[in-house]
Amino acid sequence: SAVISQKPSRDICQRGTSLTIQCQVDSQVTMMFWYRQQPGQSLTLIATANQGSEATYESGFVIDKFPISRPNLTFSTLTVSNMSPEDSSIYLCSVQGYGNQPQHFGDGTRLSIL
Amino acid sequence: GENVEQHPSTLSVQEGDSAVIKCTYSDSASNYFPWYKQELGKGPQLIIDIRSNVGEKKDQRIAVTLNKTAKHFSLHITETQPEDSAVYFCAASKRVGNTGNQFYFGTGTSLTVIP
């Protein structure tokens, strides 16, 4: 399966600042996704990162708060904007090949907001 | 939309015993069911999956069963070992659009294998 690298692996940020998380895959993939995982909780889909066009956001998530880029088939970024303590969470990138294939996850970015 | 329920939320077993985790789903259009293992500090890792045209699949100590009529699927781990301790997530997936699938995850099961 694809090797997925996420950076940074963790960060501690001040309230009101923004952080950009990078996701790099070692092979071209069809789909890239961003999830949020609260401590001890399941995975919640934030958005699907579309190559060359605007991301598709799930209910409760908006582009102004979580802008996403996907300039090519192997790279995507998620920005968490104007952070508050409620944004403290694990942010996970996942990738999927064409068709009904499994998603594969990176190791996530552990974000704490002070 | 799809609703995936997972039970139990926590499970403790003695080393060598079997562990069973069960999930139900609501959308009959779901046709792909992966299971993920998440260790502390790591992302979820795919351990086994099953498609809707198959009733059972086995990979060494891990097996998954699917009952499409009842809309439930289960993960079975035999001869458990301490390294099996982790959080396990089930998921149900269905086709969305032309190229991708929507995954719906269960709430997770924290498995502890006691040496």
Side-chain angles (χ1 to χ4, degrees), chain A residues 82-98:
Chain A
N82 189 24
M83 290 183 286
S84 65
E86 293 73 37
D87 295 320
S88 296
S89 190
I90 301 170
Y91 293 85
L92 293 155
C93 168
S94 78
V95 304
Q96 183 184 22
Y98 179 81

Side-chain angles (χ1 to χ4, degrees), chain A residues 1 9 24 33-34 39 41 52-53 77 79 81 87-88 95 103 107:
Chain A
S1 61
S9 59
Q24 178 75 54
F33 305 91
W34 288 98
Q41 302 295 314
S53 64
T77 66
T79 299
S81 303
D87 295 320
S88 296
V95 304
Q103 290 187 19
D107 280 338

